[in-house]
Amino acid sequence: MGAFGPIHWIVVAVVVLLLFGGRGKLSGIMGDAAKGIRAFKDGLKDGDEVANSTAAKPLPSEKDEARS
């Protein structure tokens, strides 16, 4: 038996089909991954804005109440 067994050849064939299997397959996969990462980052930014808007405000001190 050589250096590559049947399982190795199957893996090589799958990789070759993914890379060269059709027009735009690899770019489509990478584009979908990029959209997912962008959506994740946008979700993190939105979460920060919500957390900042609902953050607790400090209680007024006695000096502030006396001024009012």
Side-chain angles (χ1 to χ4, degrees):
M1 200 135 98
F4 290 104
I7 299 296
H8 292 105
W9 287 113
I10 291 171
V11 171
V12 169
V14 168
V15 170
V16 168
L17 286 175
L18 281 175
L19 293 176
F20 305 108
R23 183 178 162 189
K25 292 233 184 210
L26 184 61
S27 64
I29 292 170
M30 297 311 290
D32 291 340
K35 287 178 187 176
I37 292 170
R38 189 175 305 120
F40 179 74
K41 286 182 179 179
D42 290 342
L44 287 178
K45 288 179 186 175
D46 290 343
D48 289 342
E49 291 173 6
V50 170
N52 288 337
S53 66
T54 60
K57 297 178 182 174
L59 294 173
S61 65
E62 291 178 17
K63 292 179 184 178
D64 292 337
E65 290 176 2
R67 290 183 197 168
S68 300

